[in-house]
């Protein structure tokens, strides 16, 4: 009875709220926001059905007008200027002539930071999970102007939400501690390179699976996930593992916002997925988001999960998920992946939130700067396996994306060789520019397969000329 009365009160409240006619804006459109530069940025909100809403921007001589629909919603697109640090303003007015002014607006580059806890992890870290160099970052934050962020509250909903209670903040010394560390280091690198404002929309939730962000139609068509609320709760006692609800509550409120692209760091909760399943579902999620944002195939850059013991240091289920992520980067158009194989310390074997977040954000920025912002000579790709050949007891591995050199010619760690018995043994390796990685193992006289860091937690030391680490790989299908 109480639930029915509450729902009735909520419905009446919404009706009376819209009936007063005053323009209402979503939380993500507010003071201090950053608009995607040189675009037709989408603005939207609510007012009384049938009213006209007029929008005037300080950088334009003419205004925009649109009609409010029967559902009380309105939306329009507005041309935005080139990026700059000059504060702008936007005024919204409807038939009641009661202005709503959004001030201190900047034009710049807007990126969404999505995924689970390694993306959510703030500069100040989590409990028992520090971010390396956090105090220095906080103290120096005021040196970087024009970096701002808005955190969308992490909430579950069974139906798609079109608003969230949130506000834009400057990533200064007073606020940066609460900003996504990966997102901030990405934004800082762009800000330093391009000298323009960068806005981050933080829409993520720790522990979520890729299915947590898929919508009802995709879950129904491509998965066997439960979609009834009672069945969802029954199957997933941990709320962060639940499908559908996080996309509805935490991500849907931002899909009307005009963006440059999405940064994604997720995968730990999908370790153990059948071969190919995570790859196809991540591709499906990107297609869903690109459809919903209605901005074409915008860039999607994501992070390969770092080494983690995952119950057994020498098991391979963690690295099998990493391989699925690498495959996803090959089938998702306009995407890129960064390797984090080297960004753990030996003592972090049980740490699912490694402390080295600066390098993660900066590697994402290398992708963006190279592929989106006109810096083609900036190395941005980690090396990956290309082909193998065997001559006698010696195995030769050829790699992609070396940038004409590797970080070492000897003392290479992380490679293993196996013979027909399928037992892998550590291999010694040297780098030869003409022949690639030359591998030998005293225990393997006739190698038939090679692996690199193909264990849940195994730290290699091989990287290309830019210091970007080699992706884990295996040549066998055992």
């Amino acid at each position: 009875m109480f639930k029915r009365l509450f729902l009735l009160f909520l419905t009446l409240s919404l009706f009376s709220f819209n009936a007063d006619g005053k323009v209402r804006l979503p939380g993500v459109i507010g003071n201090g926001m950053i608009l995607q530069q040189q675009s037709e940025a989408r603005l939207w909100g609510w007012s009384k059905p049938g009213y006209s809403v007029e929008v005037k921007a300080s950088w334009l001589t003419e205004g925009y007008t649109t009609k409010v629909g029967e559902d009380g919603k309105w939306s329009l697109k507005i041309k935005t200027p080139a990026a700059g640090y000059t504060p702008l303003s936007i005024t919204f007015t409807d038939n009641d002539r009661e202005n709503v002014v959004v001030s201190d607006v900047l034009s710049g580059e807007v990126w969404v930071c999505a995924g689970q806890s390694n993306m959510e992890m703030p500069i100040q870290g989590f409990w028992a999970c520090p971010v390396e160099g956090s105090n220095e970052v906080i103290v120096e934050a005021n040196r970087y102007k024009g970096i701002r962020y808005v955190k969308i509250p992490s909430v579950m909903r069974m139906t798609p939400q079109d608003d969230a209670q949130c506000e834009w903040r400057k990533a200064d010394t007073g606020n940066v501690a609460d900003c996504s560390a990966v997102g901030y280091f990405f934004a800082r690198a762009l800000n330093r390179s391009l000298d323009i404002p960068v806005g981050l929309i933080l829409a993520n939730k720790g522990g979520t699976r890729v299915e947590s962000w898929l919508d009802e139609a995709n879950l129904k068509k491509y998965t066997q996930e439960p979609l009834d609320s009672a069945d969802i709760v029954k199957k997933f006692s941990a709320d962060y593992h639940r499908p559908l609800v996080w996309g509805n509550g935490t991500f849907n409120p931002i899909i009307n916002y005009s963006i440059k692209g999405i940064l994604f760091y997720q995968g730990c909760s999908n370790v153990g997925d059948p071969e190919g399943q995570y790859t196809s579902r991540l591709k499906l999620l990107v297609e869903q988001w690109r459809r919903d944002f209605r901005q074409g195939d915008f860039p999607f850059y994501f992070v390969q999960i770092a080494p983690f013991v995952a119950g057994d240091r020498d098991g391979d289920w963690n690295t099998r998920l990493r391989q699925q992520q690498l495959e996803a980067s090959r089938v998702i158009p306009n995407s890129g992946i960064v390797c984090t194989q080297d960004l753990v310390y030996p003592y972090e074997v049980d740490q699912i939130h490694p402390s080295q977040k600066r390098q993660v954000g900066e590697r994402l920025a290398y992708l963006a700067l190279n592929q989106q912002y006109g810096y083609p000579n900036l190395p941005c790709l980690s090396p990956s396996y290309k082909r193998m050949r065997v001559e006698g007891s010696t195995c030769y591995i050829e790699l992609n994306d070396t940038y004409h050199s590797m970080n070492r010619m000897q003392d290479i760690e992380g490679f293993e060789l196996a013979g027909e018995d399928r037992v892998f043994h550590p291999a010694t390796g040297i780098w030869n520019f003409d022949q690639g990685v030359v591998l030998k193992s005293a225990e393997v006289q006739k190698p038939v397969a090679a692996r690199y860091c193909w264990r849940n937690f195994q730290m290699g030391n091989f990287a290309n000329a830019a210091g970007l680490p080699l992706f884990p790989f295996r040549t066998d299908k055992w």
Side-chain angles (χ1 to χ4, degrees), residues 73 84 136 141 150 154 197 211 237 287 291 301 303 340 387 423 430 433 436:
K73 299 179 180 179
E136 182 181 2
V150 56
S154 300
E211 292 83 1
S237 57
E287 291 170 349
R291 177 203 68 200
Y301 299 138
V303 182
T340 60
R387 63 173 65 96
V423 178
I430 62 171
F433 183 80

Side-chain angles (χ1 to χ4, degrees), residues 299-315:
F300 178 82
Y301 299 138
F302 61 114
V303 182
Q304 192 178 55
I305 60 174
F308 177 64
V309 66
D312 179 2
R313 187 184 188 119
D314 293 325

Side-chain angles (χ1 to χ4, degrees), residues 379-400:
C380 65
L381 302 175
S382 273
S384 60
Y385 170 77
K386 186 175 184 179
R387 63 173 65 96
M388 178 186 78
R389 64 184 177 87
V390 176
E391 292 182 8
S393 61
T394 305
C395 179
Y396 300 88
I397 302 292
E398 188 176 346
L399 302 174
N400 299 302

Side-chain angles (χ1 to χ4, degrees), residues 89-337:
S89 65
I90 309 173
T91 302
F92 302 83
T93 311
D94 63 12
N95 295 47
D96 289 340
R97 314 311 300 171
E98 200 170 340
N99 292 346
V100 175
V101 180
V102 175
S103 59
D104 193 24
V105 177
L106 297 181
S107 187
E109 294 293 280
V110 181
W111 289 81
V112 174
C113 297
Q116 59 180 89
S117 52
N118 273 296
M119 180 62 83
E120 181 183 18
M121 189 176 185
I123 292 292
Q124 64 187 344
F126 292 137
W127 184 83
C129 305
V131 169
E132 191 172 71
S134 58
N135 267 13
E136 182 181 2
V137 173
I138 294 171
V139 169
E140 293 187 347
N142 285 346
R143 294 174 55 188
Y144 304 98
K145 306 300 181 184
I147 302 177
R148 299 179 180 183
Y149 69 95
V150 56
K151 171 64 176 173
I152 310 302
S154 300
V155 297
M156 297 181 291
R157 295 291 184 270
M158 285 301 296
T159 57
Q161 304 298 294
D162 53 13
D163 196 7
Q165 187 174 353
C166 55
E167 62 180 3
W168 284 85
R169 294 183 176 182
K170 296 179 181 179
D172 56 19
T173 297
N175 293 312
V176 74
D178 293 322
C179 185
S180 160
V182 169
Y184 177 73
F185 289 124
F186 170 87
R188 190 176 74 172
L190 258 59
N191 182 256
R192 289 159 65 178
S193 300
L194 305 175
D195 191 22
I196 60 175
V198 180
L200 302 174
I201 300 176
L202 315 182
N204 40 61
K205 169 62 183 177
T208 48
R209 302 179 302 139
V210 68
E211 292 83 1
S212 304
W213 306 99
L214 289 172
D215 64 18
E216 184 174 5
N218 278 329
L219 288 167
K220 184 179 295 184
K221 185 175 182 180
Y222 296 104
T223 79
Q224 300 298 316
E225 298 287 329
L227 294 174
D228 176 79
S229 59
D231 292 338
I232 291 174
V233 172
K234 183 178 180 181
K235 183 173 181 178
F236 300 103
S237 57
D239 61 6
Y240 47 82
H241 282 160
R242 292 171 185 169
L244 178 67
V245 294
W246 296 105
N248 280 342
T250 306
F251 204 88
N252 205 75
I254 71 169
I255 60 173
N256 284 322
Y257 207 90
S258 297
I259 63 172
K260 179 66 175 184
I262 292 180
L263 310 175
F264 192 66
Y265 194 165
Q266 186 274 336
C268 297
S269 292
N270 285 97
V271 168
D273 279 7
E275 185 174 353
Q277 178 173 291
Y278 183 86
T279 298
S280 62
R281 291 184 180 180
L282 182 58
K283 181 175 184 289
L284 180 65
L285 178 61
V286 175
E287 291 170 349
Q288 171 187 306
W289 282 345
R290 286 174 172 169
R291 177 203 68 200
D292 291 346
F293 276 100
R294 292 164 285 170
Q295 293 179 243
D297 287 350
F298 53 71
F300 178 82
Y301 299 138
F302 61 114
V303 182
Q304 192 178 55
I305 60 174
F308 177 64
V309 66
D312 179 2
R313 187 184 188 119
D314 293 325
D316 68 356
W317 41 89
N318 185 286
T319 201
R320 285 176 182 267
L321 194 280
R322 291 201 286 271
Q323 181 62 32
Q324 290 207 49
Q325 291 179 308
L326 182 58
E327 289 300 319
S329 73
R330 294 166 175 163
V331 299
I332 299 172
N334 198 17
S335 72
I337 185 172

